[in-house]
Amino acid sequence: MKDFKACFIGLGYIGLPTAIIAASKGGVDVVGVDINPGIVEATNAGHLHFIEPGMEDLLRGVIADGSLRASTVPEHADAFFIVVPTPFKGDHEPDISYVEAATRSVLPFLRPGNLFVIESTSPMGTTEKMAELIFSERPELKGNIAVAYCPERVLPGNVIHELVNNDRVIGGIDGASTDEAARFYARFVSGKLHKTNARTAEMCKLTENSSRDVQIAFANELSMICDKAGINVWELIELANRHPRVNILRPGCGVGGHCIAVDPYFITSAYPEQARIIATARSINNYKSEWTAEKVKNAILRFRIDRGRKPRVALMGLVFKPDIDDLRESPARKIAMELIGECAADAELMVVEPNITEFKGVELTDFNEAYAAADIVVFLTAHSVFRSLKADSSKVELDFCGVRS
Ligand SMILES: NC(=O)c1ccc[n+]([C@@H]2O[C@H](COP(=O)([O-])OP(=O)(O)OC[C@H]3O[C@@H](n4cnc5c(N)ncnc54)[C@H](O)[C@@H]3O)[C@@H](O)[C@H]2O)c1
């Protein structure tokens, strides 16, 4: 039995690893809560329900020593962490209904002296709103619990290292809340803990991801200019980056994932007049996927005209970035779906994604087999294994993500 108990609400890509690290390195007893019974069952069986190097071993360790268990219902604890999804609604407005439902679910378990932290990426003002909700339902807790926001900035694939070593921004609804939350994270974070207020911490996360989105939009815009100008964009970027103060990112077939493709909308929907570069970056990155799909359709048409038969086309990669298994907001998936829907009569499509086993009833092909059989190879995600494919000049290669560069 440890001296501190934490309850994590949401056992997804972020909540579960944080719960595991808090239990294994923070000396904390953890109960992880998820509304999905399958996730709870898998977690209690020591099975990680997504790919993350090294994490399943840590999970097995904390399940075996009893410092982490999963449940479908919250329970009393010293601290509560909300790590549920924050998607957007139809018109790109943030949907904080999951955060609200999770907050309501812990209301009966909150006690004076508790810490309540939101980690979900949230629009500005969400932490204050949830504090108001808590205090309106449980007025006796006002001034008696700490309420704070602490965004997560880990890179999937490197989560164990980053959860411990990244700096964190922590913002409470008051100074005492900030200090209390910082004391918790100091248990397992060796990066710096930067204290601020809740609104700044919320905006900080949105700013980080919008900054990435804008920088990727610049690279994506360059890639389309270079295509028109007949210039190799990869060579161009490499040369431009030799300038000591230039650092251009790599283009891709769009921008995906649950963060960079989503969070900028939390700013643009609240500040449409002011957020002009951020909005333009979003539309460039969305357009890059449409442009990519058009390029593939044109290549199919060209092949049919030149060779008088349907090409075999290998669509290489479905997830939103290399070497993970996350399909959320993935432009590669969107492009593949569009091509499957529109080009089935014009081409034999083979879909390749080495990191998943099922995709909407579409048969997945091994990457070596697909490459060997294809007339046209379309690289949509730069998985490391694709780099091992020996280039065959008899094939048309469309490399939208730099597998060959
Ligand atoms: N995935 C990332 O790389 C990343 C990085 C930084 C921040 N974030 C943010 O962290 C938050 C969580 O993201 P994620 O990727 O872990 O999401 P996820 O979808 O992988 O996991 C969320 C989990 O919450 C559960 N859930 C939903 N409502 C619940 C409730 N009321 N009670 C208990 N469980 C509930 C879901 O069943 C799911 O398992 C989001 O706001 C996201 O934007 C994600």
Side-chain angles (χ1 to χ4, degrees), residues 3-8 15 17-31 77-83 113-119 146 148 150 152 163 168 170 176-191 193 195:
D3 68 334
F4 196 91
K5 180 174 167 189
C7 184
F8 280 79
T18 313
I20 294 169
I21 297 288
S24 63
K25 303 195 192 300
V28 177
D29 262 334
V30 175
V31 56
D78 299 298
F80 294 84
F81 296 85
I82 306 297
V83 206
N114 278 171
L115 167 67
F116 172 91
V117 177
I118 300 176
E119 283 206 3
C150 181
E152 188 45 72
L163 268 176
R168 294 195 79 128
I170 300 173
S177 294
T178 309
D179 290 343
E180 197 57 39
R183 259 193 292 281
F184 174 80
Y185 286 99
R187 286 172 170 267
F188 61 90
V189 174
S190 54
L193 303 175
K195 296 182 186 177

Side-chain angles (χ1 to χ4, degrees), residues 282-313:
R282 273 289 66 234
S283 71
I284 291 169
N285 287 332
N286 286 338
Y287 174 65
K288 182 69 194 288
S289 309
E290 294 167 26
W291 182 90
T292 302
E294 280 312 305
K295 281 273 161 198
V296 180
K297 288 178 207 167
N298 287 340
I300 290 171
L301 195 63
R302 180 84 266 147
F303 187 97
R304 291 200 67 155
I305 292 168
D306 291 349
R307 310 277 281 273
R309 67 169 172 87
K310 279 187 192 182
R312 287 179 299 263
V313 180

Side-chain angles (χ1 to χ4, degrees), residues 352-402:
V352 174
E353 179 41 74
N355 291 342
I356 61 173
T357 49
E358 278 175 48
F359 177 61
K360 292 181 177 260
V362 175
E363 190 191 336
L364 296 173
T365 307
D366 169 77
F367 71 97
N368 281 307
E369 276 173 35
Y371 189 87
D375 301 301
I376 301 175
V377 179
V378 183
F379 289 116
L380 296 171
T381 311
H383 287 308
S384 310
V385 288
F386 296 165
R387 295 182 192 279
S388 66
L389 290 165
K390 198 165 173 297
D392 176 345
S393 59
S394 71
K395 297 173 192 298
V396 177
E397 281 195 7
L398 301 176
D399 184 2
F400 295 105
C401 53

Side-chain angles (χ1 to χ4, degrees), residues 96-118:
I96 61 163
S97 62
Y98 293 85
V99 172
E100 190 177 329
T103 303
R104 284 189 186 280
S105 77
V106 304
L107 272 176
F109 302 97
L110 289 171
R111 291 184 295 207
N114 278 171
L115 167 67
F116 172 91
V117 177
I118 300 176

Side-chain angles (χ1 to χ4, degrees), residues 8-17 33-37 39 49-50 71-72 74 82-87 97-103 105 119-122 149 151-156 159 205 209 257-259 262-263 266 320-321 326 328:
F8 280 79
I9 312 294
L11 297 180
Y13 286 91
I14 297 300
L16 183 53
V33 177
D34 204 289
I35 46 172
N36 181 334
I39 288 179
H49 65 94
F50 49 86
S71 167
T72 51
I82 306 297
V83 206
V84 295
T86 39
S97 62
Y98 293 85
V99 172
E100 190 177 329
T103 303
S105 77
E119 283 206 3
S120 296
T121 303
S122 299
Y149 181 74
E152 188 45 72
R153 8 159 94 149
V154 292
L155 180 72
V159 170
K205 174 70 189 173
N209 284 341
H258 196 256
C259 291
V262 174
D263 302 349
F266 292 10
F320 78 86
K321 67 178 186 180
D326 193 342
R328 291 177 298 176

